[in-house]
Every structure is written in C-alpha cells, then in structure tokens.
Amino acid sequence: MAAFTARGAGFLLLWLVLTDGSLAMVLPGLLAAGVAARVSLALLPPRPLRPAPVALLRFIGRLAVSMVAGGIDVARRAFSPSLPLAPGLLRYRPRTPPGPPATPCAR
C-alpha cells in the first residue's frame, strides 16, 4: 500500500504540474494517477533497496572529474584568441499569423 501511495502521489504531482494546478483537473488527475500507479506496480513491482556505497562513491568521483573537465574545456574555448567572442543581447519578437492555430495534417 505504501508503494501505491508513493507512486500515486508522484503521478498526481506530475499531473498537477502538467495541468498548471487547475482545480477543475484534480478529479481526473486522481483517477489518472490511481490507474498509472496500479499499472506501474504491475509492470515494476516494489523491491527492497540495496544501498551500494562503493558504487555511489565511484559515481560521485566520475561526476566530479567530468565536471572539472567540462569546465576546463569551456574556459579554454572561451579564452582562446582564435575564437573572438562578442557577447551581447539580441531582441527577438516571435510573430504568429492571426487566426486559430494551425493543426497538423492527419496521415
């Protein structure tokens, strides 16, 4: 029951984010979250978590090395004299044609 509640709450939260928290969409969201939680439990039953501290430490070490390497690469490219950067702002005004939105063709 705890797995169903946790997954259902997660799916409901996702539903509320996708519908901008509209109160009119809460009831359908509860139904959809319940169905999604039931299906997810059927497809991926809950199992006990096995902590793996060595794997976690290896992951953190690899992540740190990758972050430093990426930062050095960006700094090298940004300060390279052969790549003259001229940062600035660009004003962009999107224009859409008047009228209802276009719908894609059904094929």
Side-chain angles (χ1 to χ4, degrees), residues 65-79:
V65 168
S66 297
M67 289 171 57
V68 169
I72 290 171
D73 181 51
V74 169
R76 181 183 58 81
R77 292 172 192 247
F79 293 118

Side-chain angles (χ1 to χ4, degrees), residues 24-107:
M25 298 303 290
V26 171
L27 188 58
L30 285 170
L31 180 66
V35 170
R38 178 68 185 108
V39 169
S40 77
L41 286 172
L43 294 175
L44 186 65
R47 60 177 187 223
L49 295 176
R50 294 177 302 157
V54 174
L56 180 63
L57 288 174
R58 282 187 11 217
F59 171 73
I60 290 173
R62 183 177 169 106
L63 180 66
V65 168
S66 297
M67 289 171 57
V68 169
I72 290 171
D73 181 51
V74 169
R76 181 183 58 81
R77 292 172 192 247
F79 293 118
S80 172
S82 65
L83 182 63
L85 296 178
L89 296 176
L90 181 72
R91 182 173 291 248
Y92 174 73
R93 292 194 176 171
R95 293 180 177 83
T96 56
T103 57
C105 299
R107 292 184 181 206

